Amino acid sequence: MTTSLTFLTPHDGVRIVLDEVRAVWATLLKITDPPLEANFFELGGDSLAAHHMLRQLSRTYGVELRLRQIYETPTIATLAAAVTTRIEQRGQGPGDGSGHE
């Protein structure tokens, strides 16, 4: 399903990023439905997995995410908020040509 930016509210944009971060974590950490407030490292993540995750999110949303980001925002909720802020600072919302449909 393609979502037009015209119909995205700020809440929708955050939800898109939140869902993507959660899906990436689930795949990398091999867990189902990771909790939004769980710490990446406490769920079994390491710096190599963090690097892969941040690289994938950077490519998906066209924003730069350095490794220190996961240490500063180690939960799905806080990382998704940070990614959303970077997207907004860039001036382009999720779902409007950033590579994520």
Side-chain angles (χ1 to χ4, degrees):
M1 181 174 104
T2 301
T3 305
S4 170
L5 179 60
T6 308
F7 300 109
L8 283 178
T9 67
H11 176 74
D12 293 333
V14 171
R15 176 49 74 186
I16 289 169
V17 175
L18 192 68
D19 289 346
E20 179 68 19
V21 171
R22 185 178 236 173
V24 171
W25 280 37
T27 300
L28 279 175
L29 301 176
K30 296 177 178 36
I31 57 176
T32 304
D33 200 24
L36 296 179
E37 296 300 328
N39 183 292
F40 180 78
F41 298 103
E42 291 173 4
L43 291 176
D46 58 26
S47 59
L48 183 59
H51 173 73
H52 289 295
M53 172 193 52
L54 294 169
R55 193 166 154 203
Q56 182 174 346
L57 293 171
S58 292
R59 286 180 178 167
T60 298
Y61 294 108
V63 296
E64 183 178 347
L65 298 168
R66 297 181 184 256
L67 186 57
R68 74 171 185 242
Q69 187 68 59
I70 193 62
Y71 293 98
E72 294 171 357
T73 56
T75 69
I76 293 171
T78 58
L79 181 58
V83 171
T84 301
T85 298
R86 296 238 172 131
I87 293 167
E88 290 168 352
Q89 288 171 344
R90 190 187 66 211
Q92 188 175 24
D96 66 349
S98 60
H100 184 274
E101 297 294 328

